[in-house]
Amino acid sequence: MSRATGHAQLDAVPLPLATIGTPTPFEVRGALGNGVTSTPRATPVSVWGLWACLPPLAPGAHELAFGGSDGGGFWVEQRLVVASLSRAVHNWLSWVACIGSASSPSGWAAR
């Protein structure tokens, strides 16, 4: 992946990227036709990628843009608008979810 490139921005401010990958291949087993190896046999694979870590977001809307290329014709670009809740609203929703889960054996999400 020596020709790979990537970028990430939060509110038009570039984010530093970290290169993360497996130093040696590891075995993956799947079902016939699976999307990773296409075979049920053990197959050695490696993973590699460029990653960015987002800082805690201030309340409100933010634009996250990122993309990259393998340097050989494959590329992706994405632009998202994300919303961050205020700490008070986040804490309130967490409390409501906790109370709802505690009061129902099937959990709050099942209501």
Side-chain angles (χ1 to χ4, degrees):
M1 299 302 298
S2 62
R3 297 181 357 213
T5 61
H7 62 89
Q9 295 180 336
L10 178 63
D11 297 331
V13 176
L15 296 168
L17 298 177
T19 301
I20 300 174
T22 53
T24 57
F26 58 94
E27 283 191 351
V28 170
R29 294 178 191 265
L32 182 63
N34 72 77
V36 177
T37 65
S38 299
T39 178
R41 292 187 307 273
T43 305
V45 299
S46 296
V47 295
W48 182 91
L50 296 171
W51 294 82
C53 184
L54 292 176
L57 300 177
H62 299 275
E63 183 178 90
L64 176 62
F66 56 92
S69 169
D70 67 355
F74 175 81
W75 59 273
V76 294
E77 293 285 335
Q78 186 68 49
R79 188 170 305 275
L80 305 169
V81 175
V82 295
S84 178
L85 302 173
S86 73
R87 178 53 95 191
V89 170
H90 182 270
N91 288 344
W92 181 82
L93 288 174
S94 296
W95 179 80
V96 168
C98 180
I99 296 301
S101 294
S103 65
S104 168
S106 60
W108 183 66
R111 290 184 183 184

